[in-house]
Amino acid sequence: MPAAAKTRSPEYRLAAGALSGLRQDLFKDPFAYRPLPPWSPDGPLLGRLPERLRRYAVWTPHAVVLGAALFTLLIALAVGDSTGGDAIHALSGFVPALSVAMTLIRPVGAWWTSLVSTPFVAIMGGDGFGAPWAPAGFFAHLVVMTVVAARTRPRTAAWMWAGTAAFGFFASVFWYSLDSDTAPMLFVSALALLVTTSVHVRREAKVEMTAQRQVTAVERDKRTLLEERTNIARELHDVVAHHMSVVAIQAEAAPYRVENPPPELEQAFVTIRENAVAALTELRRVLGVVRAEDYEAPDAPQPTLADLGRLLENVGEAGLRVGQTVTGAVRDLPQGVELSAYRIVQEALSNALRHAPGAEARVEVSYVLGGLGLRVVNGPPTGLVKPPTRRPTTAPHRGLRPPLSMGAGHGITGMRERIAMLSGEMTAGPTADGGYEVAAFVPVATPEPEPAPQPTTDQPGDPA
């Protein structure tokens, strides 16, 4: 058989897909047990009710469906009394009411039960109100289709309406009736199914959007964390590379500072220099992976706490009034600690600029025995930004563009990552007056004092 004969036309594939959907929605396990779950007690509606009422309010959908079933039975009884009918008219309401109640456990089977029992219900309750639906069956079938549409997919609602239309036209043609109620059934059911399907689609879209937002937030946090780690790796590369270069240079120059050094000492310095150069090469090779192609290394050392004055001046020119307090004995800290502390203060002030316009901020730096304490707190936003008092007239600070640019980090995530890298602790949260506070402590080992050199004295018996 030629290959062209095996190719199906788009119309054929469309029809096959439609028939497959019909079989999946209405013919595959139509009487499968699918109980209607209760409402969530923590939903937007029930969450506002007291705890005692909330336990019963979760069964509201079941109560509404059972109420509709009872109303169906009352319609049959009322019609039987108005026409002077006997008990058969009353019995004609039990099957439609049962179909309505079945939607709680077997939704698709309830629709089939309502549709198949329609002619029998009309014969048993023959009241001259029209065909093929008796009043009780008319109301029950509308309720069944509405509930099933709410519990299934929109495609199922379309197939139910099409099946009802086919049955109605067939009954109108082969079941002689001058007053057919097929057209009213199709019109009212179309409106009911359209509203139900719209609400159902909107609810599913809202749930899907909420789930997508959660996934997006998680992915955004992961990406922010990776970007901040990349920034930290770049900065530490500059710090470590500087120190390793100093070690290599000093190891190379050390033998020339000693007159007639022993060969063992010269070889030790050579080994130190070779290891420093090898470590620097490996460091650059590894850190090169996280460097962007357009990344330019700074042409000056990374900032330290000594540069906070320039940072606060820059922030003040942007409209944020900042005060600084330094307590304890100021001392030199490891460059990685100085850099991370500077970045934390920079990011905290950047957040204050963005989220608390017009507020005042305060920076506290505490040099304690076991480490370094940082505290950046800002007041509540006032909405009034203080205009710059003067234009900057000083020259760029030795090319340190990143320290002077605000908002280069990733907020609280970046701060926590830097503190975790230094084995420190950090807290961040709103204050009682409506402001925000960031507090951090970085442990720093206290350097042991070097022992004083012992004076050399000539011992008795030593050669002069």
Side-chain angles (χ1 to χ4, degrees), residues 35-398:
L36 177 65
W39 276 352
S40 173
D42 300 328
L45 296 178
L46 301 187
R48 304 176 181 179
L49 299 177
E51 181 66 26
R52 181 178 300 179
L53 296 178
R54 198 182 307 174
R55 291 182 300 175
Y56 303 100
V58 295
W59 303 104
T60 301
H62 304 73
V64 171
V65 173
L66 294 179
L70 179 60
F71 189 72
T72 301
L73 185 59
L74 294 178
I75 292 176
L77 293 176
V79 171
D81 292 340
S82 64
T83 57
D86 50 14
I88 297 181
H89 288 81
L91 293 177
S92 65
F94 281 100
V95 176
L98 179 63
S99 302
V100 174
M102 279 183 60
T103 57
L104 296 176
I105 54 177
R106 307 181 192 277
V108 179
W111 179 79
W112 280 111
T113 302
S114 176
L115 187 67
V116 173
S117 62
T118 295
F120 302 99
V121 171
I123 294 175
M124 293 174 60
D127 42 42
F129 283 94
W133 279 278
F138 190 96
F139 175 78
H141 198 67
L142 286 176
V143 173
V144 167
M145 286 198 295
T146 303
V147 176
V148 175
R151 296 198 57 194
T152 58
R153 66 186 71 183
R155 189 178 64 182
T156 305
W159 285 124
M160 288 191 302
W161 190 87
T164 301
F167 171 79
F169 285 119
F170 178 84
S172 298
V173 172
F174 295 96
W175 184 357
Y176 181 76
S177 176
L178 298 178
D179 190 13
S180 175
D181 51 9
T182 299
M185 165 62 73
L186 296 181
F187 178 75
V188 177
S189 63
L191 293 180
L193 294 179
L194 181 61
V195 173
T196 305
T197 303
S198 301
V199 174
H200 185 63
V201 170
R202 182 179 179 181
R203 183 172 63 248
E204 288 187 345
K206 186 177 180 179
V207 172
E208 184 178 357
M209 183 179 298
T210 302
Q212 186 63 32
R213 286 178 177 176
Q214 294 177 352
V215 173
T216 303
V218 172
E219 294 297 330
R220 183 170 57 250
D221 292 341
K222 291 181 179 179
R223 183 175 64 251
T224 300
L225 186 61
L226 292 177
E227 291 177 358
E228 188 62 29
R229 288 180 177 178
T230 301
N231 293 334
I232 295 174
R234 291 171 180 171
E235 295 173 352
L236 290 183
H237 168 267
D238 300 327
V239 173
V240 177
H242 170 72
H243 290 296
M244 295 302 295
S245 300
V246 172
V247 170
I249 294 173
Q250 291 183 350
E252 184 177 7
Y256 299 99
R257 299 175 180 267
V258 182
E259 185 177 357
N260 298 324
E264 295 82 2
L265 183 61
E266 290 185 352
Q267 183 59 39
F269 281 118
V270 169
T271 303
I272 293 174
R273 181 183 181 279
E274 291 177 351
N275 289 335
V277 173
L280 185 60
T281 302
E282 291 297 329
L283 179 66
R284 287 174 176 171
R285 181 180 298 114
V286 174
L287 270 297
V289 176
V290 298
R291 279 193 187 275
E293 296 181 358
D294 57 348
Y295 175 76
E296 297 181 359
D299 54 1
Q302 293 288 349
T304 62
L305 290 175
D307 300 313
L308 278 182
R310 173 66 178 174
L311 174 64
L312 300 184
E313 179 184 356
N314 187 22
V315 174
E317 293 170 356
L320 180 65
R321 292 169 291 181
V322 186
Q324 181 182 8
T325 303
V326 180
T327 59
V330 180
R331 65 182 185 274
D332 292 334
L333 302 175
Q335 192 169 359
V337 176
E338 296 260 357
L339 173 61
S340 295
Y342 181 95
R343 294 300 191 201
I344 291 173
V345 174
Q346 179 189 23
E347 187 61 34
L349 295 179
S350 175
N351 290 340
L353 272 174
R354 289 195 297 265
H355 304 295
E360 295 184 1
R362 186 172 67 258
V363 177
E364 299 177 4
V365 182
S366 303
Y367 291 87
V368 296
L369 185 61
L372 176 69
L374 297 173
R375 183 171 179 266
V376 182
V377 58
N378 62 268
T382 62
L384 301 177
V385 181
K386 179 184 177 182
T389 56
R390 61 180 179 86
R391 299 180 64 87
T393 56
T394 56
H397 186 59
R398 297 179 297 169

